[in-house]
Amino acid sequence: MNIAIIGSGYVGLVTGACLVKLGNKVICVDNDAKKITALKKGILPIYEPGLEELIKDNLKRKRLYFSSSIKEAVKASEIIFIAVGTPDSGSGEADLTGVEKVASEIAVNLKEYRLIVEKSTVPVETGAWLKKTVTTYIKGKVDFDIVSNPEFLREGSAISDFMHPDRIVIGVESKRAKDIMVKLYKPLNAPVVVTNIKSAELIKHASNAFLATKISFINAVSRICDIAGADIGEVSSGMGLDKRIGRSFLEAGLGYGGSCFPKDLDAFISIAGKLGYGFRLLEEVKKVNESQMSFLIAKIKDALWIIKDKNIGVLGLSFKSDTDDIRHSPAIYLIKSLQKEGAFIKAYDPRAMEKAKVVLSDVKFCRNPYAAVSGCDCLLIATGWDEFKKLDFVKIKKLLKRPLIVDGRNIYDPEKMGKLGFSYISIGRKGA
Ligand code: UGA
């Protein structure tokens, strides 16, 4: 099929590249002309494993195109995905300005039947607004359908998540729309859940909110483990083996960050409130998440006594491993908090340093993990990159001014760290 993706951000680029892989011809659009010029040369604004190769390859094969023109994309494509950003408006509510603008521009250019698919994460009832907007701006009598097709991919494993989804959710109002969407995703051979548009929209918000709740739940339990002397790793394994609970998203740590959970939780609380339901459970999930980071700062203070003038080496800046995304990254929050207390920060991240340089000041960015810990009073693990799991700890111990490791991601074995002579502090586990 011929497909247009409006919005060449994370979701748009991955969706576009993967739909090409499924045998379609895709045109990706963005209103950022610089971004489009770079993308045409195969230069990506983000790091996502495997994405650059996929895009470069399909640019060469002439199956993937980039453009700044919605008009051109609408003309060439039977399915038009809207994948523009829906940022926090400042009050917690999702800002749908981008979605509305794109919808009206699609409408103006509609000449024959098109499927308009809402891919961006949006609050329930957005589909109804999209329909109204398109109907208002459309010129003449042209048929169209609105579809809600939320995306569940994770940064860092986006291509594999897209190609092997647990389920595909399609919210539709007509059989015609359903048939086209089912045909599009047929090659994935995944379970397809067909619902009405509002349910599909809610599935997305409810899924992200549930996963965030799981993380806050296990983080809250980790606090009890700390006090009681239990081990959060053992507790979450013991819980996760129960199929009704499941093992994933039970890793205690610095709390969730990224461009999705914090924003989507706010937006879900906001739309629920507007509809007349005060989602207090999710308010508490947010509070637990926020307190997890201050809890780690308190642990660092406990170990160092005075933070002022201490050198702290931070490993990891992205909000999680395998991405260069620093949006709502716990690492950035921690660094800023420690700087406020007067600490000097040296940092290293395999991918996120360029982006971190834009939001951080007075940080010494280092070429490798060893340079970042050299001469420091404390090594702080803020992101669980694989690279950090394989460090030479004999060397690290020699380089540190004092052998203190504070691990916000629980990536090391406390016993091993103790044997190596470190004072080792992690989350919800006995220290060494
Ligand atoms: C999340 C969802 O997992 C995707 O399904 C969804 O499509 C996406 O949001 C979105 O709405 O676009 P993402 O934000 O890329 O994906 O990353 P996750 O792997 O979900 O991690 C989110 C945060 O939770 C990270 O800060 C991570 O470190 C943290 N986390 C995750 C934990 O603290 N513990 C865990 O057990 C799992």
Side-chain angles (χ1 to χ4, degrees), residues 352-388:
M353 291 206 280
E354 286 316 307
K355 287 189 176 161
K357 279 175 190 167
V358 179
V359 298
L360 291 172
S361 44
D362 300 322
V363 169
K364 187 169 178 352
F365 292 96
C366 301
R367 284 190 324 274
N368 60 55
Y370 301 104
V373 303
S374 174
C376 284
D377 301 274
C378 171
L379 157 59
L380 170 60
I381 302 289
T383 312
W385 285 92
D386 265 350
E387 182 180 340
F388 305 155

Side-chain angles (χ1 to χ4, degrees), residues 194-205:
V194 181
T195 66
N196 66 37
I197 293 178
K198 287 181 186 173
S199 301
E201 290 166 336
L202 266 174
I203 289 171
K204 172 66 188 182
H205 260 166

Side-chain angles (χ1 to χ4, degrees), residues 271-421:
I271 187 73
K274 264 194 183 169
L275 293 171
Y277 180 72
F279 217 144
R280 298 228 303 274
L281 174 65
L282 294 186
E283 297 279 7
E284 207 50 45
V285 166
K286 274 178 64 180
K287 277 187 204 150
V288 170
N289 197 55
E290 281 152 18
S291 75
Q292 203 64 8
M293 289 174 247
S294 6
F295 176 58
L296 199 85
I297 298 276
K299 280 191 173 227
I300 298 172
K301 270 189 192 165
D302 263 358
L304 284 178
W305 183 30
I306 308 287
I307 301 252
K308 190 168 183 295
D309 294 341
K310 291 279 171 22
N311 292 296
I312 300 183
V314 180
L315 295 188
L317 296 164
S318 52
F319 81 95
K320 65 171 194 175
S321 52
D322 300 315
T323 177
D324 63 349
D325 197 340
I326 54 155
R327 287 174 288 176
H328 289 280
S329 169
I332 305 291
Y333 171 87
L334 285 174
I335 289 175
K336 286 186 175 170
S337 307
L338 291 165
Q339 284 180 322
K340 254 190 215 151
E341 306 250 358
F344 300 113
I345 306 290
K346 295 214 278 182
Y348 168 77
D349 187 288
R351 293 282 177 178
M353 291 206 280
E354 286 316 307
K355 287 189 176 161
K357 279 175 190 167
V358 179
V359 298
L360 291 172
S361 44
D362 300 322
V363 169
K364 187 169 178 352
F365 292 96
C366 301
R367 284 190 324 274
N368 60 55
Y370 301 104
V373 303
S374 174
C376 284
D377 301 274
C378 171
L379 157 59
L380 170 60
I381 302 289
T383 312
W385 285 92
D386 265 350
E387 182 180 340
F388 305 155
K389 295 174 187 162
K390 302 168 196 150
L391 295 174
D392 175 349
F393 283 100
V394 176
K395 189 170 167 183
I396 296 264
K397 189 156 171 261
K398 279 191 197 140
L399 288 170
L400 281 168
K401 215 193 274 176
R402 60 188 271 186
L404 170 65
I405 299 180
V406 178
D407 180 0
R409 298 287 182 169
N410 286 0
I411 60 173
Y412 306 123
D413 177 352
E415 212 178 299
K416 274 192 197 152
M417 286 296 139
K419 278 193 188 141
L420 283 162

Side-chain angles (χ1 to χ4, degrees), residues 2-13:
N2 289 311
I3 293 164
I5 315 269
I6 319 291
S8 298
Y10 231 107
V11 170
L13 285 177

Side-chain angles (χ1 to χ4, degrees), residues 6-8 29-36 67-68 70 84 101-102 105:
I6 319 291
S8 298
V29 178
D30 204 283
N31 61 2
D32 181 341
K34 261 194 197 159
K35 195 197 256 184
I36 290 297
S67 164
S68 302
I70 291 187
V84 296
K101 268 196 191 135
V102 166
E105 211 177 324

Side-chain angles (χ1 to χ4, degrees), residues 11 121 151-155 204 208 211 215 219 248-253 255-261 264 319-320 330 409:
V11 170
T121 300
E151 186 48 63
F152 301 101
L153 56 83
R154 291 162 298 173
E155 294 185 14
K204 172 66 188 182
N208 271 6
L211 291 170
I215 297 170
N219 279 334
S248 56
F249 279 70
L250 282 184
E251 273 169 44
Y256 58 79
S259 64
C260 304
F261 287 172
D264 292 349
F319 81 95
K320 65 171 194 175
R409 298 287 182 169

